Amino acid sequence: MLKDLTIDELKVGMFVKDIFLKDSDHKVKNQGVVNSARTIELLKKQGVVRVVIDCEQSNFSDDEPDIEDNESDTENDVEETSLTDEFARSCDIYQQSAENVKALMLNASSAKPLSMEAMTVLAGEITNSITRNEHAMTILTRIRQKSNYQWEHAINCAVLICGFSLYLGFKKNTVQELTLGALIHDIGSAKVSRAILEKQDKLTKNEMSVVQKHVLWGMELSKREGFSSPILSDMLVNHHERLDGSGYPRGIAGDKISKLSRITAIVDVYDAMTADKPYKKAMLPQAVFRHLLNEKKKFDADIVQQFIKYLGIHPVGSLVELSNEKIAIVIEGNRTDPLKPKIKVIYSLKLNSYTKPVDFDLTQEEFVIINSIKASDYQINLNKTIRDIVT
């Protein structure tokens, strides 16, 4: 028997068949048992207001309190902190991650032993940071340095997959392993020559075949170090596979590609396309979202939609132009009303200069976001600006 409940009536142990978002009668396919109170809180944060449960598949009692289903879920109860309080700590973790991933890549390229244990520790620190505040480390993924692309890409993918999988309700121990997988998913690229990786022009067929070998090289390296769990293997081998069979290395398609690999592929492409590379300028997140949505034959459309809802139309760290002729940085997303995030105004277009940073919640203001912009269009030092306004 199916039953329609409000989100506040949802209990641990209930089997959810469908969910309804705020201001929408459209049902979103999202089935499964509610394993913890935290899952309910995540659904609320996603904007869910009603659910449909299957009573026959549910297992709960009105007389029993909500409890965590296992030890790993109790670890999710990390105390939440403010963006300002968490930012300094997240900067340290990000910097440490950069140093460790760089060392990992250099060792891999010269056949030296890898320090994979350090990656495991970092995966845990990233997971804990994002659990404390989902925006503090995520905002750092918008800071780019072209010369550091290889390790920045690895860290950014780890941060994005960590936050996205927590948003989807994955258990924390699984999230931590996904984060580790993202940190090392491109480790095989360390064996690709710099001449190919930094080539300004389109790669030849032979050069592309060398690049594609990074997947198998990555598997060999991770297995050599004893890191070959099913999750890590899936991420390393299949993150370049596509639903229509056009990916590599095996050209598998459809149901043969796991949900995990579909998630990894989307995050991998998103971060790559929003970064400057030797042969191509960075695209704005909105343009990448459109690309992913248009490529329905290659990427899972449902996961793409969930990923956009997680990041927001204007992800944290984005620069936006306002209708009052000001420029602001998005500080916190709004999943109920994505076009009205929390922002910090930092620049006047009328004066053509920086202004004293001022916070605004666009749900309370008459001015609106006109569009997203690139920092380079106004000679804004995004790296310095973000660090100055958050700390």
Side-chain angles (χ1 to χ4, degrees):
M1 181 181 72
L2 300 181
K3 190 173 182 180
D4 195 325
L5 303 176
T6 67
I7 188 64
D8 291 328
E9 294 174 309
L10 186 62
K11 293 181 177 292
V12 172
M14 290 182 173
F15 187 94
V16 175
K17 291 283 289 183
D18 287 295
I19 62 177
F20 292 81
L21 302 178
K22 184 178 180 181
D23 300 325
S24 174
D25 291 328
H26 175 64
K27 292 191 290 184
V28 181
K29 186 178 179 182
N30 193 7
Q31 298 187 2
V33 175
V34 177
N35 291 318
S36 69
R38 184 176 182 277
T39 300
I40 298 174
E41 292 305 311
L42 284 169
L43 290 173
K44 289 180 179 179
K45 287 183 178 180
Q46 293 172 26
V48 175
V49 292
R50 290 167 44 223
V51 297
V52 176
I53 68 164
D54 186 332
C55 296
E56 294 180 359
Q57 296 189 66
S58 297
N59 180 23
F60 71 99
S61 170
D62 288 332
D63 298 325
E64 296 178 0
D66 291 347
I67 58 174
E68 302 293 340
D69 67 327
N70 59 32
E71 185 177 348
S72 65
D73 269 351
T74 62
E75 296 173 4
N76 278 327
D77 296 329
V78 176
E79 184 178 352
E80 293 187 6
T81 59
S82 68
L83 173 63
T84 302
D85 289 342
E86 184 61 31
F87 188 71
R89 185 157 36 177
S90 68
C91 286
D92 289 341
I93 295 171
Y94 194 97
Q95 181 60 37
Q96 186 62 44
S97 299
E99 293 172 3
N100 278 269
V101 174
K102 181 179 179 180
L104 188 77
M105 291 284 190
L106 291 174
N107 287 344
S109 66
S110 56
K112 293 180 180 179
L114 308 181
S115 179
M116 298 290 270
E117 292 78 9
M119 293 295 104
T120 303
V121 172
L122 284 172
E125 292 183 353
I126 290 171
T127 304
N128 285 333
S129 177
I130 292 176
T131 304
R132 288 190 294 266
N133 186 290
E134 66 172 304
H135 303 300
M137 189 167 287
T138 306
I139 204 171
L140 292 173
T141 65
R142 300 296 300 148
I143 299 174
R144 300 285 190 171
Q145 295 183 43
K146 190 187 299 184
S147 60
N148 296 345
Y149 173 74
Q150 267 192 302
W151 31 96
E152 279 187 351
H153 176 61
I155 301 162
N156 290 348
C157 285
V159 171
L160 293 171
I161 281 181
C162 179
F164 187 35
S165 55
L166 284 170
Y167 169 79
L168 293 174
F170 284 52
K171 294 176 183 177
K172 187 176 178 183
N173 59 337
T174 302
V175 171
Q176 188 166 325
E177 191 165 8
L178 296 178
T179 305
L180 172 61
L183 281 171
I184 65 172
H185 81 285
D186 267 343
I187 187 176
S189 65
K191 300 185 67 127
V192 180
S193 74
R194 302 294 299 179
I196 292 178
L197 292 176
E198 297 175 1
K199 185 177 177 180
Q200 300 285 339
D201 302 320
K202 184 177 180 180
L203 297 181
T204 65
K205 186 175 181 179
N206 287 339
E207 289 169 337
M208 182 56 71
S209 69
V210 173
V211 170
Q212 292 180 355
K213 288 179 182 177
H214 84 274
V215 173
L216 298 180
W217 288 335
M219 273 301 298
E220 290 172 0
L221 288 166
S222 63
K223 283 184 177 180
R224 188 187 76 191
E225 299 295 325
F227 284 75
S228 55
S229 72
I231 286 179
L232 296 182
S233 296
D234 190 11
M235 294 178 76
L236 265 70
V237 172
N238 296 322
H239 66 277
H240 282 293
E241 299 290 0
R242 300 293 180 257
L243 296 180
D244 61 358
S246 64
Y248 64 87
R250 295 179 293 161
I252 59 176
D255 293 340
K256 292 183 179 179
I257 303 175
S258 70
K259 180 179 181 180
L260 171 56
S261 290
R262 298 177 190 211
I263 290 172
T264 308
I266 289 165
V267 172
D268 180 62
V269 169
Y270 169 81
D271 185 71
M273 294 182 72
T274 52
D276 275 328
K277 293 187 285 296
Y279 53 89
K280 193 173 184 180
K281 287 288 187 181
M283 296 171 62
L284 288 170
Q286 297 74 25
V288 180
F289 292 155
R290 286 194 294 270
H291 168 78
L292 291 169
L293 289 170
N294 289 336
E295 294 284 359
K296 291 181 175 63
K297 293 182 179 180
K298 296 181 184 295
F299 304 102
D300 189 308
D302 289 337
I303 296 177
V304 171
Q305 291 280 8
Q306 289 176 306
F307 183 60
I308 295 171
K309 186 167 181 61
Y310 159 66
L311 278 183
I313 297 172
H314 302 285
V316 293
S318 296
L319 282 177
V320 292
E321 181 182 351
L322 306 172
S323 59
N324 63 356
E325 298 187 77
K326 299 287 179 65
I327 291 176
I329 293 179
V330 176
I331 298 299
E332 184 178 327
N334 180 348
R335 295 193 177 115
T336 302
D337 195 344
L339 293 176
K340 297 182 178 181
K342 292 181 180 179
I343 62 171
K344 193 180 288 282
V345 171
I346 54 110
Y347 194 91
S348 169
L349 290 171
K350 283 183 179 179
L351 301 175
N352 196 29
S353 66
Y354 288 99
T355 59
K356 182 180 178 180
V358 181
D359 290 305
F360 292 96
D361 182 340
L362 289 182
T363 61
Q364 309 295 322
E365 306 297 334
E366 293 185 0
F367 54 85
V368 297
I369 294 174
I370 297 177
N371 55 31
S372 285
I373 59 174
K374 293 183 178 181
S376 58
D377 293 340
Y378 296 91
Q379 289 75 53
I380 292 175
N381 185 332
L382 190 59
N383 188 331
K384 183 177 185 301
T385 302
I386 286 178
R387 293 177 187 276
D388 286 347
I389 64 174
V390 176
T391 54

